Amino acid sequence: DSVVGNVSMGSNGNLINNGTVTGNLTVSSGITNNAGAVTGNTTVSAPGILNLNAGTDLSNTGSLTVNGGNLNVNANETVGSFSGTGGTVTIAVGQGLVTGGAANTTFSGTLSGGGVLGHAGSGSLTLDGPAGGFTGVISSSNATGQVNINSATGAIGVFATSGGAIASDGGN
């Protein structure tokens, strides 16, 4: 099934998307299990929970913004940009979240889990949230892009570059 227009989850219920949302997806309350496509931007804010499950297809050019709540990456996903002012992003072991785009973005929330956070964009991605026990891999693959990691982020499992750069302020 398909929905044309924006979908906003703002109640304490549950939403399951196995179809296509042609527009933006906003999760600000309740639990949303996504195994379908979203063609626009995706936003999570407290106390909402968004689970990206097998079959998820967020827009490769859309933004993923986490300003609160929880984002659980349970399947590989690529988005146009990644940013936010808070919340927790958990990337499951064996899964990855790849972000792109030319804009410089910042995620100030908590990063946890053991998966892969990849940055393939030409802009910079700054991680400056609190320590969350992230034991996975942070990678950068665009020759002009960079991942900046501030000391508050805590320990990171592995850094990997393939043309891009990773910078730390020395606290990791």
Side-chain angles (χ1 to χ4, degrees):
D1 294 340
S2 296
V3 175
V4 176
N6 299 325
V7 173
S8 180
M9 179 62 179
S11 69
N12 289 325
N14 295 326
L15 174 68
I16 298 172
N17 175 32
N18 291 318
T20 299
V21 174
T22 304
N24 299 326
L25 174 64
T26 301
V27 179
S28 58
S29 185
I31 300 170
T32 299
N33 288 295
N34 192 68
V38 177
T39 64
N41 300 322
T42 302
T43 303
V44 180
S45 57
I49 299 170
L50 174 60
N51 297 314
L52 301 180
N53 300 322
T56 291
D57 184 18
L58 300 183
S59 172
N60 289 356
T61 58
S63 64
L64 173 61
T65 305
V66 180
N67 290 327
N70 293 290
L71 172 69
N72 299 308
V73 180
N74 302 316
N76 290 319
E77 185 55 53
T78 299
V79 295
S81 67
F82 171 57
S83 65
T85 58
T88 299
V89 173
T90 302
I91 304 174
V93 172
Q95 306 305 319
L97 176 63
V98 176
T99 179
N104 297 332
T105 62
T106 299
F107 177 62
S108 299
T110 302
L111 186 63
S112 68
V116 176
L117 176 62
H119 181 62
S122 58
S124 67
L125 170 62
T126 299
L127 304 174
D128 69 355
F134 185 73
T135 58
V137 175
I138 293 182
S139 68
S140 179
S141 62
N142 188 304
T144 60
Q146 178 168 311
V147 177
N148 302 307
I149 303 169
N150 294 336
S151 61
T153 304
I156 301 295
V158 176
F159 298 127
T161 62
S162 174
I166 296 178
S168 173
D169 67 3
N172 295 304

